[in-house]
Amino acid sequence: MDLELLSRTLDELGEPSYRNQQVWAWLARGAHAYVEMSDLPKPLQAVLEQRLPLSTLTLEQEVRARDGTAKALLRTTDGHPVEAVSMRYRDGRRSLCLSSQSGCPLACTFCATGRMRFARNLSRDEILDQALHFRRQEPADHAVFMGMGEPMMNLDAVLGACELLPALGITNRRTAISTVGWIPGIERLTASGVPVRLALSLHAPEDALRSALMEVNERYPLAEVLDACRAHNAATRRRVFVEYVMLAGINDRYEQALALARLLSPREAFKVNLIPYNPTDSLYHGSSRDAIAAFRGALESQGVRVTVRLTRGRDIAAACGQLAAAA
Ligand code: SAH
């Protein structure tokens, strides 16, 4: 919902300002249409139905994976593709994976989104409309900004969405923003005091390899990025999650695990998530289960907290790094 336009439209219709709140409350609870908004006068429901689309995004396609993951391909009014994913876990959690941009201006070599055309930043309302799309199907309690785009390059809109997500049942503490290590964004997030989780896509324990995988490392090298993460941890007292996608023969050797452990001090400031690589049409192969287990063991032997990420939605190309709408 374009919330500015809603407010302007209600104004023009001479409606009291509390109508904004009424409409928003219905949307946040998953309303599919104005007719459901029973505290609005019938004639107003009808006018809004005619004048104001319920969403800034239109649904073009939705696919469901065997594991209950759903991927939606949505489109902005100016024609840009946006993908969003809803994941269901066995413990009942439902987590939304939201996009902050259509496409991505960065070109990490292993990620499918980086190979599509970058269109533009999404607005706050376009981000929220991804969540509202899934809210109309069922409630969710977690969100991660791990869809298309680099959230730290569009932080105002992302934080604007974070302000409103709690109305849908997704608190800031259950929201994570993932970054390639865009330092100005990390610093602004820290200064904002918004209690969302910071996640860093690290992927390599030294600069040369990291730069080869992620060009952005040339601009913001490892040591400086990790300093920004330590400052975030010091200010918020929350662990920074380190994402590490496991690439066979590239970043999964024993010595690399030890090098990673050396970087992550103090230990309490970080937690590592090892991510099984999801195939894209890149040159990489994912590390085997055994290699991931050995890497995990090496990190744990150094006192590093580590989990292996569950992969959801691989059969519909909805998993990490597979979001690339045919634009
Ligand atoms: N630009 C931000 C937000 C996107 S998050 C960031 O990079 O953090 C998407 C996550 O999926 C990142 O950790 C990214 O490195 C990871 N990823 C990218 N391609 C992947 C792939 N093919 N398999 C598994 N994870 C991948």
Side-chain angles (χ1 to χ4, degrees), residues 111-112 248 272:
C111 179
V272 174

Side-chain angles (χ1 to χ4, degrees), residues 152-166:
M152 294 301 184
M153 296 175 86
N154 188 19
L155 193 58
D156 288 329
V158 166
L159 291 181
C162 289
E163 231 173 86
L164 293 172
L165 282 173

Side-chain angles (χ1 to χ4, degrees), residues 110-111 146-147 149-150 178-180 201 203 245 276-278 280 320-321:
F110 49 84
C111 179
M146 296 189 187
E150 169 52 41
S178 179
T179 178
V180 294
S201 294
H203 307 324
V245 53
Y277 183 63
N278 299 305
T280 67
C320 294

